[in-house]
Amino acid sequence: MGAGGQMKTEEDILKHVPVSKPPFGISDLKKAVPPHCFKRSLIRSFGSFFRDLIIIYTFYYLASTYIPLLPPTLSYVAWPLYWFAQGSILMGFWILGHECGHHAFSEYQWVDDAVGFFIHSVCLTPYFSFKYSHRSHHAHTNSIEYDEVYIPKRKADTFFSEFLNNGPGNVFTLILRTTLGLPLYLIFNTYGRDYNGFANHFLPQSGIFNDRERGQVVLSDVGIAAVLYALYQLLLTQGLKTTIFLQGIPLFVMSGFFIFLTYLNHTHPAIAHYDSTEWDWLRGALSTIDRDFGILNRVFHNANHTHGIHHLFPTIPHYHAIEAREAVKPILGEYYMYDDTPILKAMWRDTKECIYVEPDEEKKGVYWYYK
């Protein structure tokens, strides 16, 4: 079913979205959104914050207290259930930190930065560093030259278009992306924009940042170092296996969910990329895909199926995003993209189908995925 309740076929889902300039502007869309959707409630935002924090602690307490008491056969089942559950909640918690980076948590910037710094540091993501690179992503979405992440490859890059463009290559790409994608991006800028040099989210002198931002990059590093030190102390008291099982693997699962979420919201055979001759901000913002993660929608604070409205109005908090999305959909028409393909199937399909981009045969400056 589509987001509006209308059945969509596979052909409908894979049909190229319009690439002509929309007949509406961002002001038209903003007028359609109820004004209260732009209001940020400190109470509601902290309600989501403490809800996630309580669930995280509850899962941790239950796992650390009771799983070691189970017979070995049952523990083989209980541990993976804990890892999946805790990893998914951590992903939802991370999303609240991401919301802080957009000043969508509260009306107070200092509150947003303090809360976001805490959340992302706990999740081993450098808060200010990611905030600044992510801002660039929102400013240049689906620009081949200037987008910040998931820059598509070209056919001339034969390592991707030929060597990895097959079954085993697709499997390797999928496994590497979902297991190591987030740390590879943060440390080596893998899947990121070319800065003509080594780019890294932990180095203040990285080309990702300007001079005004470098001090806060150092602060982000201090936050990560503090959390790593806390994990080291836990390792000394709990032991290596317990620390890995209780903290390490859930963070690893969260990292995988991050890739599932961000990759599927920005990669699809029907979505175009643009070069500088054709790109504009509105068409870039519209080049996103809302996805249905089923039971995880609520866990992820609905970020996965309100990503389009998030790119249009990133300061709208998560608890108003669905209402805002529904308000603009009649105006967006064919420019709104929603795919309810089951997530695992969609991830495999898009890994196979979205290998590289090549120019549209008729419209200059527009690029489509090929395999």
Side-chain angles (χ1 to χ4, degrees), residues 174-227:
L174 180 60
I175 293 174
L176 180 67
R177 180 181 289 132
T178 53
T179 56
L180 297 176
L182 179 56
L184 285 175
Y185 171 61
L186 294 176
I187 299 171
F188 300 107
N189 200 39
T190 307
Y191 312 119
R193 172 181 166 186
D194 183 6
Y195 281 94
N196 296 317
F198 183 66
N200 177 294
H201 277 74
F202 301 96
L203 294 178
Q205 297 305 315
S206 172
I208 299 173
F209 314 111
N210 61 43
D211 289 340
R212 291 185 296 109
E213 298 164 349
R214 303 192 197 283
Q216 290 183 314
V217 174
V218 174
L219 183 58
S220 301
D221 293 345
V222 170
I224 297 297
V227 173

Side-chain angles (χ1 to χ4, degrees), residues 6 17 42-43 53 56 78 83 96 145 154 170 176 204 211 214 242 283 285 346:
Q6 183 179 1
V17 298
L42 202 59
I43 294 174
L53 208 55
I56 289 168
W83 297 332
L96 293 180
E145 295 99 341
R154 300 297 302 275
N170 296 151
L176 180 67
D211 289 340
R214 303 192 197 283
T242 301
R283 279 184 291 175

